[in-house]
């Protein structure tokens, strides 16, 4: 590897080395190099470097493309064959429902080959749902009257009005952190910024951390036993 | 003072709701306040602004306007579209009538208190007549488009002025017609935004005062429809306005949290011509001030930062005293925390749920002031959510920690909590006896064998708790002379002999639990009781009143104790009497019978009855000076009140065992970060 590199370096240095004096005639004065020749040498070198970079880029592109292809192929491999998919889409909804239910029952059974079937069933349900949505256009939808009453609507309007008037875009509201930062800064006792004082901040992460810690501890104890 | 190991609890995440509206009782000493969560509170001026009544809110019942009518009847109206009358004796909504005009934005009573006018979302102004036992629809006034956001009656009851968006209108009450219509923005060139008249007042001279979203306070002549004066108070909206009864002073509240006073002053000394002048600015709030009121001696403002500020007017004060000091209330004057001493649990009461926490523990010891590392963190055990829109009235956990009870307006719930190692099971106790809800206060006996339920009409129910997880009603105590008011405080003795109950008329009754009889009543005192407790050793009842007086009443002897008489003879220290927040909890140290532990929001005090009382020349809060003195000098300086102000604001303090205390704090900054957003303010140099 190292040798190859060295060779490459020699190759690169090739043309200017040929122009320079050979190493044997050390005591001679350096040969005069005309301006044009030197310029040409520099240009060839730049071209070489540029080409190398371009090749490298192309190589990368090729690599990426191949990987992309691999991915798509993998995805396809996961999917069912086209014919089966088409057949599923064409099947009447009632039968699909029945089949989904059957699949669900199979899920509860939980036998060995259930996994493959389960995946199928889920996909099936998904396509089924989409079709149902399209079909029910223009049909009736069920709503609770309690949510839709006129007073509810009025109440919502009134609340929206209040909210836009007090907290709308023109009202120039500040975040609590900005608002209290000066107070915090001037305080003789310096504290963390308000956003860190807020206990609700990052609560989920903290909870997850404590849960993980518990779990980890319990596993440690089990291992010791 | 004694050394204690202190659990400094800061995980009570209480965020009090903002103040939405205020109403002073005309010619009376009470102030009604409504919060954004629909809770209604009544403060009594005579009892040192004690929050004497609390009606918890309801999700379905917001309150936008409150007013007193027909003497001392309190009405509220809100965006739900109903007008509700509150029963102040039973602390609940008595009856409500549909306004039939959509959400109600404003309500005002006329000067005699016989009629109510409401302003609705659909632009109508409706008149209701206040009749005994309810209100009755009278008629509609001329209806136009645009919601009516504020209303005011002329003091002579002949006209009503209503503020809407960009416009204000004057109605003739007799004919119901619009007699004047004023465009608020008519004289302003090129306004893009609409101008909202947030608040309005009709003076007897015929001047209409408005405050609007452009930050102006304007004075109009209603007959000519002309602008008399305009004061730009703020760059943001002026949300509220109130006029004094004499009509010589106005207070306005802005959304930046500042309040301003306007006064009607002569232009020159001795001149007859008077003008409105903006005199005093106050910045007590950080958030919007949506409610102001003007009592005869003070400016009162309530903000969305949940603060109620009472700022006395010094020119109206004759002498320095309790009434002449600035008062700020953020926290309720009652207990929201209860503690299971034996199980080391804390129960926190929120508006719609309860939280049960186990205290942390440490195995280290340290010197005074040291912070000890925890070997077990405090643990959130259970969250109990109450179903439905009603808010919780009261809650309690038993000393052994295995019972939790709470009550809403219509239901009483009792749960049995069982601990098996690390797992907890909560079981609802079925077939709770049918009591007349709501319960206003709950208290378990010291052995966790019975539960005392404070109820309406001065009655106290005693429930027996069974080991297997059931309960039955043992007895109901009623005061011998009867009382219309609800019981709001309870105290049970440690030996299970006595229970003391305080009802809304401030009468204290003591009942005997062994023979289920009324034992005696404590002599009447002219102030509200804020806390009481029975001493576990001597069975003396210690009572704290809202004027900061302390009494000790011996239950077996049915009379005040010698110490209590001595305190009354000598008088308490001046600084003690000038404190502004009521004592909310009293407890005792069983190992040290002469100690009484009490606290309010700002201090924790160990009252040592064996030491002499301080006189007015002595320093009341002398703990820090005592520490620096040599031992023999210290003995001479000691007095009965040992006060600690380290924990603020203190919501609850209790003694777990001999030398272990729990202190529940709620830092103000933690609350402020969770409030709705404040208005941006430019600070110099930032």
């Amino acid at each position: 590897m190292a040798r190859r590199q060295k060779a490459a370096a020699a190759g690169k240095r090739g043309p200017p080395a040929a122009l320079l004096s050979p190493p044997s005639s050390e005591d001679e004065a350096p040969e005069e190099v005309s301006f044009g020749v030197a310029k040409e040498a520099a240009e060839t070198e730049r071209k070489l470097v540029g080409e190398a970079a371009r090749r490298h880029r192309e190589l990368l592109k090729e690599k990426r493309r191949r990987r992309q292809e691999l991915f798509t192929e993998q995805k396809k491999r996961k999917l069912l064959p086209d014919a089966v998919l088409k057949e599923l889409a064409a099947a009447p909804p009632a039968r699909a429902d029945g089949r989904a239910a059957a699949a669900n029952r199979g899920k509860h059974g939980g036998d060995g080959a259930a996994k493959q079937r389960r995946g199928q069933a889920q996909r099936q349900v998904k396509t089924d749902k989409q079709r149902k949505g399209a079909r029910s256009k223009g049909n009736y939808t069920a709503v609770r009257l309690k949510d839709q009453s006129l007073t509810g609507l009025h109440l919502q309007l009134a609340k929206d009005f209040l909210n836009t008037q007090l907290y709308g875009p023109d009202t120039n509201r500040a975040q609590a952190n900005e608002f209290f930062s000066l107070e915090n800064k001037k305080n003789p006792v310096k504290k963390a910024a308000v956003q860190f004082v807020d206990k609700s901040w990052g609560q989920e992460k903290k909870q997850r951390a404590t849960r993980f810690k518990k779990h980890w501890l319990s596993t440690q104890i089990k291992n010791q036993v | 003072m004694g050394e204690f190991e202190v659990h400094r609890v800061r995980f009570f995440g209480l965020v009090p709701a903002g103040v939405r509206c205020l109403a002073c009782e005309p010619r009376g000493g009470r102030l009604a306040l409504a919060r954004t969560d629909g809770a209604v509170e009544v403060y009594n001026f005579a009892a040192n602004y004690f929050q004497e009544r609390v009606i918890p809110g309801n999700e379905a019942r917001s309150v936008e306007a409150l007013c007193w009518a027909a003497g001392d009847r309190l009405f509220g109206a809100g965006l739900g579209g109903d007008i509700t009358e509150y029963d102040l004796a039973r602390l609940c909504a008595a009856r409500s009538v549909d306004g039939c005009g959509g959400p109600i934005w404003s309500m005002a009573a006329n000067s005699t208190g016989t009629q109510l006018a409401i302003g609705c979302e659909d632009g109508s102004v409706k008149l209701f007549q206040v009749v005994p036992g309810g209100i009755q629809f009278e008629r509609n006034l001329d209806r136009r488009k645009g919601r009516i956001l504020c209303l005011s009656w002329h003091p002579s009851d002949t006209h009503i002025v209503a503020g809407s968006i960009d416009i204000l209108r004057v109605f003739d009450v007799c004919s119901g017609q619009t007699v004047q219509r004023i465009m608020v923005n008519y004289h302003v060139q090129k306004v893009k935004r609409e101008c909202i008249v947030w608040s309005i007042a009709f003076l007897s001279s015929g001047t209409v005062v408005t405050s609007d979203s452009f930050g102006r306070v304007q004075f109009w002549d209603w007959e000519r429809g002309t602008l008399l004066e305009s004061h730009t108070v703020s760059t943001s909206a002026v949300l509220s306005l109130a006029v004094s009864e004499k009509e010589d002073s106005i207070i306005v509240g802005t959304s930046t949290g500042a309040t301003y006073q306007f006064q009607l002053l002569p232009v020159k000394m001795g001149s007859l011509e008077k003008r409105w002048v903006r005199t005093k600015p106050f910045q007590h709030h950080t958030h919007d001030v949506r409610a102001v009121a003007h009592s005869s001696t003070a400016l009162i403002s309530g903000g969305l930062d949940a603060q109620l500020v009472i700022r006395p007017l010094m020119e109206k004060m004759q002498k320095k005293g309790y009434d002449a000091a600035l008062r700020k209330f953020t926290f309720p004057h009652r207990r929201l925390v209860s503690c299971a001493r034996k199980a080391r649990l804390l129960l926190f009461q929120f508006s719609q749920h309860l939280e049960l926490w186990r205290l942390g523990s440490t195995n280290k010891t340290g010197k005074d002031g040291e912070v000890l590392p925890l070997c077990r963190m405090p643990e959130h055990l259970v969250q109990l959510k109450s179903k439905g829109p009603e808010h919780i009235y009261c809650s309690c956990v038993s000393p052994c920690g295995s019972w939790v009870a709470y009550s809403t307006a219509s239901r009483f719930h009792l749960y049995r909590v069982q601990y098996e190692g690390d797992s907890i099971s909560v079981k609802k106790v079925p077939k709770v006896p049918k009591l007349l809800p709501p319960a206003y206060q709950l208290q378990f006996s010291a052995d966790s064998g019975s539960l005392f339920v404070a109820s309406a009409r001065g009655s106290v129910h005693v429930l027996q708790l069974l080991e297997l997880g059931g309960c039955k009603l043992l007895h109901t105590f009623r005061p011998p002379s009867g009382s219309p008011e609800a019981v709001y405080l309870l105290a049970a003795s440690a030996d299970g002999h006595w229970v003391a109950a305080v009802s809304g008329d401030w009468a204290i009754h003591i009942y005997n639990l062994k023979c289920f009889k009324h034992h005696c009543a404590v002599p009447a005192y002219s102030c509200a009781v804020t806390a009481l407790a029975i001493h576990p050793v001597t069975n003396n009842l210690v009572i704290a009143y809202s004027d900061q007086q302390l009494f000790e009443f011996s239950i077996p002897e049915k009379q005040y104790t010698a110490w209590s008489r001595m305190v009354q003879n000598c008088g308490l220290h001046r600084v003690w009497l000038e404190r502004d927040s009521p004592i909310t909890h009293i407890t005792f140290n069983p190992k040290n019978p002469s100690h009484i532990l009490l606290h309010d929001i700002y201090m924790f005090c160990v009252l040592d009855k064996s030491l002499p009382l301080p006189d007015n020349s002595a320093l009341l809060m002398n703990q820090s000076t005592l520490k620096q003195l040599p031992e023999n000098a210290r003995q001479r300086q000691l007095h009965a009140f040992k006060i600690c102000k380290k924990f603020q604001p203190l919501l609850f303090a209790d003694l777990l065992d001999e030398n272990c205390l729990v202190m529940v704090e709620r830092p103000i900054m933690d609350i402020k970060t969770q409030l709705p957003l404040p208005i941006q303010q430019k600070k110099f140099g930032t």
Side-chain angles (χ1 to χ4, degrees), chain B residues 341 535-537 587-595 655 657-658:
Chain B
R341 287 184 176 193
H535 198 286
V537 179
T587 185
F588 302 96
N589 192 348
K591 293 277 147 51
N592 222 336
S594 65
H595 283 188
L655 191 79
D657 59 39
E658 212 176 326

Side-chain angles (χ1 to χ4, degrees), chain A residues 90-154:
Chain A
R95 236 186 77 203
D97 271 347
R99 228 193 288 169
N104 277 340
R105 252 178 276 133
K107 216 187 275 181
H108 288 297
D111 51 335
K115 200 162 190 182
Q116 178 65 25
R117 241 192 293 154
R118 200 181 300 163
Q120 279 181 22
Q122 269 166 5
R123 220 165 292 127
Q124 206 174 304
V125 168
K126 213 179 272 172
T127 52
D128 192 59
K129 252 183 207 163
Q130 281 164 6
R131 233 165 339 103
K132 240 189 212 165
R135 214 163 53 92
S136 69
K137 205 174 266 178
N139 260 346
Y140 298 106
T141 50
V143 287
R144 278 203 309 175
L145 270 178
K146 200 170 141 196
D147 306 335
Q148 300 290 318
S149 66
L150 206 61
T151 52
L153 181 69
H154 281 152

